[in-house]
Amino acid sequence: MFTDVSQIQFSLHRADGRVHSQGAEDAVLSLVPCEEGCVKALHIDAVLKPNQPLFKVQSGFDPQRAVTLTLPLENTSFLSVYQHKDWWIRPSFPKSTAEIPDRTQLLLWKADGQYHALLAVTDKVYRSDISGSSDGICITLSSNRSREMSCNSLAAVYAVGNSPYTCCEAVVSYAMTAMKGEGYLRKNKTFPQQLEYLGWCTWDAFYQQVNEDGISQKLEEFKASNLPVGWILIDDGWSDADYKAQELRSFGTDIAKFPNGLAPIVNKAKTQYGIRHVGVWQAMMGYWNGIQAQSKAHLDNIQALTQLADGRIVPSPDNAFGFCNAWHTQVKSEGIDFVKVDEQSAPSLFFTGNHSYGQASKGAQDAMGASVGLHFGGGSINCMGMAPQELWHRSAAALVRSSDDYIPSAPNGFFEHCLQNTHTALLYSPIYWGDWDMFWSDEQNCQRHAMLRAVSGGPVYTSDPVGKTAPDVLLPIINKHGKVLRCDDVGLPTVDCLLTYDEGMPLKIFNRIGNTIVLAVFGGNAQATTKIGAENVGEACEISYLWYSHNGKVGVLAPHEALDVKVQPEVAELYLLIPKTHHCTPIGLTNKYISCALIESVRYFENRTVVTLSEGGIFAFHADATPKQVCVNGEDFAVTSGDAGLFTVDCSPAETPLIEIYFD
């Protein structure tokens, strides 16, 4: 693909309906393939010649369909990550090119024993989208702005290789670097420190009726249950807004809900209940319909705002920093530590016809990002912003909400929630960590949701109503101080779940912590058998692995071996795959999903293994022979032996256990 430009058919579309194809005398197109390593990039340089006579209105490119490229591609099984709503993306699993959805952003397939990844991008002006037909695939470029006469843009990036994960990361990294955003890759970012602990959000607890008294009741509940919640988020409903017109009136609070502003409840949360950080919700455009005319928010920030043709007043993409800075200055003065910025894919919708995708998104995102960096050190949750123009232009932001809302009452909503967060991570994870949204700890899917967050690599927070939090569901995800036991990367689907999925098959998601593979298995709606092994995640699997399941079972996998597991419907299990390099393999604390996360260090000596833990609990390890003696902080401790070489030691009384395991 892209090696022979002559195979690519093209057409240019004018706003007046005229279409120019190869050989047209009044339109010029140059296709420039560019190869770097395993990556090939396709650049478009297209120009429309002006109409004659020149004194008439000039018809530029169609704002929604400027250039189309048609490429031949054989039918196979695909993974398509496509934009199904203005705000969100999700996966699809087409079985032919004709089934590839419109607005596809990442296309993955396997042919001739290798994986192929094709990526659409949004450049400074133009956005590209992939779609399918019976003849192959189509790449469409659109600007969202009238009277564009030229299109000079990166259109698509392609990679082929043995690993689907490497291919996906390669195309995203190449595109980001080509668009001068190489510093914006996730490997160069820092996870928001405000969100490292267990959190709670007001949304599903109160929706827009959030109020100071309700938050106080929830804080008292956390204190009574000894649940170490580290942060809270005051979601939509706190602001001084006209809720009927959906317009912001000021940077203050709804006085019926927060009579004295935010400061009293923020101070109370921090001083009386030990909450480390408090955040607030805001909308990208001020509020859902913008800012109320002649309101304080309007008059105080008039230089940073613009009025649309339909009368709505919103931050200007060219000068929005003043608005963001003023708002953040106000809430920070009341003790706020971070923000959740919603409605993020709105700029290109609000400015359709007047601003290109790149201009509208980059202007708004640069302003918001600069202000968040100035006031909150980059602490933000970026929500409703999975449209590609936002993904490519959010600059330094580290965290995105990667799925549509968690809805407690949604029937069969769990797997849609899984798919949106995990398969789309092939696209977003080279740039961002994913926020897999809040959930309820007291509902029928709570254990599955908790395990899903454990493998996500992102923040963990609930939205339980007053009286409904279940600490036992949450404690396996956090340490004794409330810090999330977070994996190192972003959770991704395993190889065997990439190109096919149906409701009956198990969904497997993996992540890593150090050298350990963390693999969560979620049963579908029917009993099924699946395999657990390092090859699930594309590893060469030349070494032996110890496998440990959260239900207390253990075993050893020889190189290239996999474990056959029978998965029951709607049941979740989590496995650790630990490289077996010694006759004694520490596993960690059995009451935590990511058991090994509390291991501080492991040292091997001739007849002794020394393990340091960051807190006490039931410590498990695997050994090829029964240990002669186990000491915790210098004292003998009893050892309980289980099946298949599993041993446990109860070191719960110790604050920071140093465990010495002796062998003959």
Side-chain angles (χ1 to χ4, degrees):
M1 186 171 284
F2 300 156
T3 55
D4 185 358
V5 176
S6 64
Q7 293 185 0
I8 303 176
Q9 297 180 343
F10 76 87
S11 58
L12 311 182
H13 301 260
R14 287 186 183 264
D16 62 9
R18 285 184 293 163
V19 180
H20 306 276
S21 299
Q22 282 101 326
E25 295 182 357
D26 58 347
V28 179
L29 174 66
S30 174
L31 303 177
V32 187
C34 174
E35 185 168 352
E36 181 176 305
C38 70
V39 175
K40 295 180 176 66
L42 185 63
H43 294 261
I44 302 296
D45 188 2
V47 179
L48 291 177
K49 294 182 178 180
N51 298 337
Q52 296 293 336
L54 293 176
F55 61 79
K56 287 189 175 182
V57 174
Q58 296 298 303
S59 176
F61 279 113
D62 184 329
Q64 302 306 320
R65 192 186 183 195
V67 180
T68 58
L69 308 172
T70 303
L71 293 78
L73 184 62
E74 294 183 359
N75 289 330
T76 185
S77 294
F78 298 92
L79 166 65
S80 159
V81 175
Y82 73 104
Q83 185 182 359
H84 69 298
K85 295 181 180 179
D86 288 330
W87 323 100
W88 305 114
I89 57 178
R90 74 176 303 277
S92 173
F93 303 92
K95 299 301 182 186
S96 67
T97 57
E99 296 177 3
I100 297 171
D102 293 343
R103 300 202 293 182
T104 288
Q105 300 305 306
L106 176 66
L107 191 66
L108 181 71
W109 69 97
K110 190 174 185 180
D112 300 324
Q114 291 190 302
Y115 287 93
H116 303 253
L118 180 64
L119 176 74
V121 298
T122 302
D123 211 331
K124 294 179 180 178
V125 175
Y126 281 88
R127 161 183 167 155
S128 62
D129 293 274
I130 302 165
S131 58
S133 71
S134 58
D135 298 325
I137 60 171
C138 179
I139 301 173
T140 303
L141 285 90
S142 54
S143 71
N144 202 47
R145 181 169 65 186
S146 301
R147 299 184 183 176
E148 288 284 348
M149 298 298 292
S150 64
C151 174
N152 190 322
S153 180
L154 176 63
V157 186
Y158 166 78
V160 58
N162 295 324
S163 167
Y165 310 109
T166 300
C167 287
C168 291
E169 184 169 6
V171 292
V172 174
S173 297
Y174 179 92
M176 184 60 77
T177 301
M179 293 189 289
K180 312 302 181 185
E182 61 270 16
Y184 303 147
L185 294 171
R186 179 169 59 88
K187 65 183 180 182
N188 299 320
K189 297 177 181 178
T190 302
F191 188 87
Q193 56 88 19
Q194 296 95 326
L195 306 177
E196 288 281 13
Y197 289 77
L198 177 66
W200 174 74
C201 177
T202 65
W203 180 242
D204 293 311
F206 299 106
Y207 297 108
Q208 286 188 330
Q209 301 311 308
V210 58
N211 60 85
E212 188 173 333
D213 289 342
I215 295 174
S216 294
Q217 292 177 42
K218 194 65 186 179
L219 292 172
E220 188 62 34
E221 179 189 339
F222 291 144
K223 182 178 180 180
S225 65
N226 293 314
L227 185 66
V229 174
W231 57 269
I232 65 171
L233 171 62
I234 304 173
D235 213 299
D236 185 12
W238 70 270
S239 298
D240 176 21
D242 181 333
Y243 287 93
K244 183 176 181 180
Q246 299 286 286
E247 295 173 335
L248 188 72
R249 294 189 293 218
S250 79
F251 296 152
T253 59
D254 182 327
I255 59 173
K257 303 170 186 172
F258 298 87
N260 299 300
L262 293 169
I265 190 62
V266 172
N267 291 335
K268 185 177 185 179
K270 293 181 178 180
T271 60
Q272 296 183 31
Y273 296 98
I275 301 298
R276 297 168 184 264
H277 302 290
V278 179
V280 291
W281 176 97
Q282 67 178 109
M284 195 75 171
M285 309 308 284
Y287 206 65
W288 297 108
N289 270 337
I291 296 150
Q292 193 168 81
Q294 302 303 306
S295 66
K296 182 174 176 57
H298 177 206
L299 298 177
D300 287 355
N301 302 279
I302 199 163
Q303 298 301 318
L305 305 175
T306 188
Q307 187 165 20
L308 304 176
D310 60 13
R312 289 181 293 179
I313 298 169
V314 296
S316 167
D318 302 319
N319 193 29
F321 176 78
F323 178 79
C324 300
N325 181 53
W327 198 348
H328 293 160
T329 298
Q330 170 62 34
V331 297
K332 185 177 181 180
S333 72
E334 298 191 75
I336 294 302
D337 306 294
F338 69 95
V339 288
K340 172 186 174 181
V341 185
D342 224 332
E343 195 194 21
Q344 287 211 13
S345 293
S348 59
L349 298 174
F350 278 60
F351 292 102
T352 296
N354 296 319
H355 292 74
S356 70
Y357 284 114
Q359 180 188 9
S361 296
K362 183 171 174 55
Q365 292 291 351
D366 282 354
M368 183 63 69
S371 185
V372 167
L374 176 66
H375 294 282
F376 309 117
S380 64
I381 296 174
N382 300 282
C383 189
M384 293 180 68
M386 293 300 284
Q389 55 268 27
E390 314 309 324
L391 288 176
W392 293 109
H393 291 111
R394 200 176 278 110
S395 64
L399 182 70
V400 292
R401 248 283 303 283
S402 48
S403 72
D404 209 335
D405 287 6
Y406 161 81
I407 300 176
S409 59
N412 304 316
F414 176 77
F415 275 99
E416 177 64 21
H417 194 79
C418 287
L419 293 170
Q420 284 192 26
N421 283 298
T422 58
H423 287 71
T424 61
L426 293 163
L427 171 59
Y428 72 76
S429 65
I431 314 174
Y432 308 102
W433 281 276
D435 167 12
W436 292 11
D437 203 12
M438 62 197 87
F439 70 103
W440 278 3
S441 68
D442 186 16
E443 57 109 324
Q444 62 178 358
N445 292 307
C446 60
Q447 191 264 350
R448 291 197 291 172
H449 273 290
M451 194 172 287
L452 180 67
R453 301 317 186 282
V455 77
S456 73
V460 177
Y461 58 118
T462 68
S463 54
D464 297 301
V466 174
K468 289 293 184 178
T469 294
D472 289 348
V473 173
L474 302 173
L475 292 176
I477 313 175
I478 59 177
N479 71 7
K480 62 184 179 182
H481 301 296
K483 190 172 184 179
V484 174
L485 305 177
R486 201 163 54 80
C487 292
D488 295 339
D489 294 313
V490 178
L492 295 171
T494 58
V495 171
D496 49 336
C497 294
L498 282 176
L499 302 180
T500 183
Y501 180 75
D502 64 62
E503 294 181 353
M505 65 182 285
L507 177 61
K508 295 187 292 189
I509 303 165
F510 78 95
N511 207 322
R512 302 173 193 273
I513 183 163
N515 293 324
T516 296
I517 299 168
V518 181
L519 204 159
V521 183
F522 300 94
N525 60 15
Q527 181 177 291
T529 299
T530 190
K531 291 185 179 295
I532 302 296
E535 291 183 350
N536 287 157
V537 303
E539 293 289 328
C541 200
E542 300 295 338
I543 63 172
S544 296
Y545 281 87
L546 176 77
W547 64 266
Y548 172 78
S549 68
H550 188 257
N551 65 15
K553 295 181 180 180
V554 70
V556 176
L557 296 175
H560 304 287
E561 186 182 8
L563 175 70
D564 289 320
V565 175
K566 185 175 292 185
V567 184
Q568 299 300 324
E570 300 183 355
V571 172
E573 185 55 271
L574 190 139
Y575 293 83
L576 302 181
L577 299 178
I578 308 169
K580 191 176 186 310
T581 59
H582 199 271
H583 65 81
C584 178
T585 305
I587 295 170
L589 297 187
T590 61
N591 61 330
K592 305 298 180 183
Y593 287 137
I594 316 297
S595 305
C596 56
L598 293 165
I599 297 177
E600 293 285 316
S601 66
V602 179
R603 290 171 292 165
Y604 292 107
F605 300 92
E606 183 177 353
N607 65 341
R608 181 170 58 117
T609 301
V610 180
V611 182
T612 304
L613 303 178
S614 58
E615 67 182 64
I618 307 297
F619 171 69
F621 64 95
H622 177 270
D624 295 340
T626 301
K628 175 183 176 181
Q629 179 186 19
V630 174
C631 295
V632 178
N633 293 342
E635 298 182 11
D636 283 351
F637 267 60
V639 180
T640 301
S641 60
D643 295 332
L646 180 66
F647 299 90
T648 58
V649 178
D650 185 357
C651 54
S652 302
E655 284 289 322
T656 53
L658 188 148
I659 303 169
E660 297 172 283
I661 308 168
Y662 292 89
F663 297 90
D664 289 329

